[in-house]
Amino acid sequence: MRDVYVIGVGITSFTRLEFPLSEIAAYPVMMALKDAGIKEVDHLYVANMGSGRVNHQTGLASAVVDTLSLTPAGAEVVENGPASGASAVKTGFMAVASGVHDVVAVTGVERMREVNSLEATEFVATLTHPLGEYIYGVTLPSLAGMFTRLYMEKYGVTSRHLAMVAVKNQDNALLNEFAHIQQKITVEGILDSPEAMTNNPFVADPLRFFDCCPVSDGGASVILATREVAEKLGKPLVKLAGVGQATDTHCVSEREEPTDLLAVRRAAAQSFEMAGVTPADVDVAELHDAFTILEIVESEEVGFFKKGEGHLALERGETQIGGKLPINPSGGLKGRGHPVGATGVAQAYEIVLQLRGEAGKRQVDSPKVGFTCNFGGFGNNVVCLTFTREN
Amino acid sequence: MARDIYAYRCRKCGHLHYPYRMVCANCGENEHNEFDPEALPKTGTLLAFTRLYALPGDFDVPTLGLGIVELENGIRVTGQLDIDEPAAGMKVKGSVEVVRQEEYEKYYGMIFSQA
């Protein structure tokens, strides 16, 4: 297997974007090609979940490769629900590692604001089990709500801990010009103030509005290449050192221990093993906080903290920028936004910036190992990536 | 007419599946249709629950109770809750009713109330 390096990255603003879907996908590729200092790639992977349903456009990869005037390079869409982004990065990794291609572009894109927020939630809910969950009105927030209550009862996590995740990630997003949510909030303001019941209503009890990520449009790209290509460009070398993926039962109800996220545990372990590092080596991480509870639980399942102790590390400030292990310096899904197909690639974008030391106001102190967890379904399909800085 | 929700028992090893699977999750039996349908029991214990305030567009109610119930045979199912104040460990009984209605289609599923 050949070593694989990230030679270029690009991103759009995550917000409501009034541009054609293929342009939202293409723009960050243009940025990433400029960043790398190259003009051509051998292949293009487009991560997207809902273009056929939400945007009435299929065959998206053909549209994007042509928009970029990269024809006749091969191109295809990778769809893996909200983990499409990291799945596409993993697919690009395999193409380069295997020797099939030397340079590939991966772009993740979603344009969800074309429909209203109820339709967007309904679109994401179609990934639930058709007969075992979907027909009942189950949505991702409702699965997260049930999970959150179990976690609170078992491990003593409270609404305040959840609010602390929201506050931290929205604070981080204020340092990220591309982040969707640019709003300072406080725990008191969203939980204790007289206005809290109206500014922070329940979405799926006990989860409230500020526990859920926004519905966003956006795109993010990375360019992957061999070491030989990467070395010629004279930039800091960031290696995609480990990829891991695992699945779990489609129906959440079937899981033996309902507070475990086994696919996260397994995908992370694979990714660390391939990279030859341990969770303790990680200096900065982007976790999939579609709901605030998920940042806490993933930080345990991937091995940063003991099971049931993630909220204690949060309380101690360890996961803030400047803490022992900064989590979601970009703002995470909560602050940066969650255009589902783009998220996994946007996580990789952030980690590459951090490892290069180019993250500006939100730069973590000289990190060498970075990690991402992209969570598909309600833990049905999880992809984890480990990056290391060389030279 | 009382309706049922079915689980599927592997003819080779006896493992009971809900929801349906084409290959046995226990013994790997993969001959087509080697599963016998078996009506799920309707009583059980409430394990997890939520009240959803942001509903899919085709639901004509302001909020919706949802939960995961462990039925008396150990199978866990997701269902709607018709319970004002649910609590973990509460004994519940289900009935199979219309749980979702689209323009030309009705879907039946389990709705649980306090036993």
Side-chain angles (χ1 to χ4, degrees):
Chain A
M1 206 164 75
R2 303 195 293 182
D3 287 345
V4 179
Y5 291 80
V6 185
I7 60 167
V9 293
I11 201 162
T12 71
S13 286
F14 280 22
T15 176
R16 180 178 182 144
L17 295 173
E18 301 282 347
F19 299 98
L21 184 65
S22 55
E23 292 183 17
I24 302 172
Y27 179 77
V29 180
M30 293 162 63
M31 297 297 106
L33 289 169
K34 275 189 193 155
D35 179 39
I38 61 170
K39 293 215 156 150
E40 285 181 2
V41 297
D42 301 330
H43 201 96
L44 172 71
Y45 295 98
V46 179
N48 177 262
M49 177 172 167
S51 72
R53 183 184 169 104
V54 177
N55 315 102
H56 306 285
Q57 182 173 6
T58 57
L60 182 61
S62 319
V64 179
V65 79
D66 188 46
T67 300
L68 287 162
S69 299
L70 285 173
T71 51
E76 61 237 320
V77 167
V78 176
E79 195 270 315
N80 183 22
S84 298
S87 264
V89 174
K90 193 201 79 175
T91 308
F93 169 89
M94 294 194 300
V96 175
S98 66
V100 171
H101 297 303
D102 289 337
V103 184
V104 304
V106 181
T107 190
V109 67
E110 211 73 54
R111 190 180 168 201
M112 305 168 76
R113 302 291 296 237
E114 194 162 336
V115 295
N116 67 41
S117 69
L118 281 182
E119 279 178 69
T121 302
E122 162 70 8
F123 145 61
V124 179
T126 59
L127 63 74
T128 62
H129 194 287
L131 291 177
E133 295 177 332
Y134 177 81
I135 59 164
Y136 293 102
V138 167
T139 58
L140 274 291
S142 67
L143 293 173
M146 288 195 273
F147 182 86
T148 302
R149 177 172 281 106
L150 292 173
Y151 225 80
M152 287 175 156
E153 282 168 3
K154 189 162 178 184
Y155 295 111
V157 174
T158 65
S159 293
R160 301 200 89 71
H161 294 112
L162 303 182
M164 286 165 70
V165 174
V167 168
K168 170 179 76 73
N169 290 354
Q170 291 199 194
D171 279 351
N172 291 352
L174 288 170
L175 307 174
N176 179 356
E177 60 188 321
F178 297 109
H180 188 165
I181 305 298
Q182 301 286 341
Q183 179 189 33
K184 170 78 185 163
I185 54 170
T186 62
V187 173
E188 295 69 32
I190 62 173
L191 283 187
D192 305 330
S193 76
E195 297 83 24
M197 282 310 285
T198 44
N199 75 22
N200 193 20
F202 282 122
V203 172
D205 167 30
L207 284 184
R208 294 167 179 271
F209 176 79
F210 280 105
D211 291 312
C212 305
C213 66
V215 175
S216 318
D217 301 336
S221 302
V222 296
I223 313 278
L224 304 176
T226 59
R227 186 178 181 101
E228 195 187 351
V229 173
E231 276 180 333
K232 279 186 199 147
L233 302 171
K235 286 217 169 204
L237 279 183
V238 176
K239 183 178 175 184
L240 175 46
V243 300
Q245 182 170 18
T247 53
D248 202 346
T249 61
H250 195 179
C251 272
V252 170
S253 61
E254 275 197 281
R255 299 187 190 158
E256 205 165 325
E257 183 50 70
T259 49
D260 281 352
L261 295 174
L262 288 182
V264 173
R265 201 178 298 173
R266 289 168 174 153
Q270 276 181 29
S271 164
F272 289 135
E273 193 191 339
M274 188 188 289
V277 301
T278 68
D281 297 325
V282 174
D283 302 310
V284 57
E286 286 279 311
L287 302 181
H288 192 109
D289 58 329
F291 306 102
T292 46
I293 185 72
L294 287 179
E295 177 176 306
I296 294 172
V297 183
E298 288 168 20
S299 73
E300 300 164 3
E301 294 286 12
V302 307
F304 296 151
F305 310 112
K306 281 197 192 120
K307 186 77 180 164
E309 295 185 5
H311 64 296
L312 303 177
L314 172 78
E315 266 179 8
R316 292 192 296 265
E318 289 178 22
T319 58
Q320 294 172 2
I321 296 172
K324 256 160 72 183
L325 172 55
I327 293 177
N328 288 325
S330 69
L333 284 62
K334 178 75 192 77
R336 180 186 53 222
H338 185 25
V340 280
T343 284
V345 190
Q347 291 176 321
Y349 166 92
E350 177 69 16
I351 293 299
V352 171
L353 283 198
Q354 291 285 350
L355 293 181
R356 284 183 184 169
E358 295 174 0
K361 286 182 282 187
R362 59 183 193 279
Q363 179 65 49
V364 169
D365 186 27
S366 48
K368 295 279 179 282
V369 179
F371 175 82
T372 69
C373 176
N374 194 191
F375 183 90
F378 199 78
N380 308 119
N381 202 325
V382 178
V383 183
C384 292
L385 309 172
T386 303
F387 298 83
T388 54
R389 164 75 192 256
E390 295 183 2
N391 73 1
Chain B
M1 191 187 76
R3 292 187 163 86
D4 282 305
I5 300 285
Y6 288 90
Y8 296 85
R9 194 175 288 285
C10 174
R11 285 185 190 161
K12 197 169 169 191
C13 75
H15 187 76
L16 191 61
H17 300 78
Y18 176 83
Y20 177 71
R21 279 189 178 75
M22 294 185 77
V23 174
C24 180
N26 183 51
C27 74
E29 168 69 5
N30 76 346
E31 293 302 319
H32 196 49
N33 285 334
E34 287 295 303
F35 294 87
D36 292 318
E38 191 173 307
L40 282 174
K42 300 221 169 69
T43 54
T45 308
L46 186 60
L47 294 184
F49 59 92
T50 187
R51 181 157 290 280
L52 184 60
Y53 292 78
L55 272 67
D58 48 331
F59 281 82
D60 205 10
V61 288
T63 69
L64 184 65
L66 292 165
I68 293 176
V69 171
E70 182 165 301
L71 298 171
E72 59 193 29
N73 65 352
I75 293 281
R76 291 177 187 172
V77 301
T78 303
Q80 290 178 358
L81 304 183
D82 182 16
I83 304 172
D84 286 340
E85 286 184 23
M90 181 182 270
K91 298 291 171 200
V92 295
K93 61 177 192 314
S95 64
V96 178
E97 317 265 356
V98 175
V99 290
R100 187 171 201 148
Q101 205 158 353
E102 288 170 358
E103 214 168 338
Y104 299 107
E105 195 112 40
K106 282 177 184 167
Y107 297 95
Y108 287 87
M110 207 83 95
I111 301 180
F112 292 97
S113 53
Q114 191 168 0

